[in-house]
Amino acid sequence: YKERYRLLGTKCETCNNVFFPLRGVCPNCRRGGKPVPIAFSGKGRVYTFTVIHVPPEGFETFVPYVVGLVQLEEGPKVTSQIVDCHPEDAYIGMPVEACFRKLRAQGKEGIICYGFKFRPVDSSSKKE
Ligand code: ZN
């Protein structure tokens, strides 16, 4: 499991709160905080979601797609595209897990950005 494929966040050792993403400052404690990096399990549940039919530039090949607010097992909420999921199959409370995918292709240079997305846990046995 390579470092760049881990979902990293921050745990504050002063107040014990967990945040996403990785931060240098605890939003609760400010200067009194002791933020340390932690790796999330990548598992969570869909808290809310919307279906995108009109995409921003660079996302045209994905429509329609699901964007969810995922609540991680550890507590923080993360906004992400939900892949491998038909819009009509998405529901609140759906178990999901982080996976690493192409985020978008940018401009004429075709710079491709990779990052994490979430997918339903039920589809995790499918071949990539
Ligand atoms: Zn704190």
Side-chain angles (χ1 to χ4, degrees):
Y1 215 52
K2 290 183 184 142
E3 189 68 23
R4 67 192 174 107
Y5 292 126
R6 293 164 79 202
L7 196 56
L8 295 176
T10 310
K11 180 173 182 172
C12 174
E13 291 188 333
T14 302
C15 65
N16 278 322
N17 278 302
V18 175
F19 308 98
F20 181 87
L22 199 54
R23 310 181 164 178
V25 177
C26 172
N28 291 342
C29 309
R30 306 284 171 179
R31 287 166 60 190
K34 267 196 200 170
V36 294
I38 65 156
F40 294 122
S41 67
K43 294 191 190 320
R45 284 178 185 275
V46 173
Y47 188 77
T48 59
F49 69 92
T50 49
V51 178
I52 308 296
H53 294 280
V54 181
E57 197 180 332
F59 285 81
E60 290 86 351
T61 55
F62 294 115
V63 288
Y65 62 91
V66 181
V67 171
L69 183 62
V70 173
Q71 181 155 33
L72 300 173
E73 269 185 344
E74 293 85 355
K77 295 188 185 81
V78 180
T79 301
S80 169
Q81 186 182 343
I82 311 293
V83 295
D84 299 342
C85 178
H86 292 290
E88 60 268 29
D89 294 336
Y91 61 94
I92 288 168
M94 182 171 73
V96 292
E97 63 185 3
C99 59
F100 284 79
R101 292 293 172 85
K102 188 168 85 172
L103 284 184
R104 62 181 175 273
Q106 269 180 340
K108 288 174 190 150
E109 296 82 18
I111 297 166
I112 294 169
C113 302
Y114 287 86
F116 71 87
K117 294 182 179 185
F118 285 83
R119 66 182 171 196
V121 170
D122 295 342
S123 70
S124 61
S125 56
K126 270 194 226 163
K127 268 197 125 183
E128 295 271 330

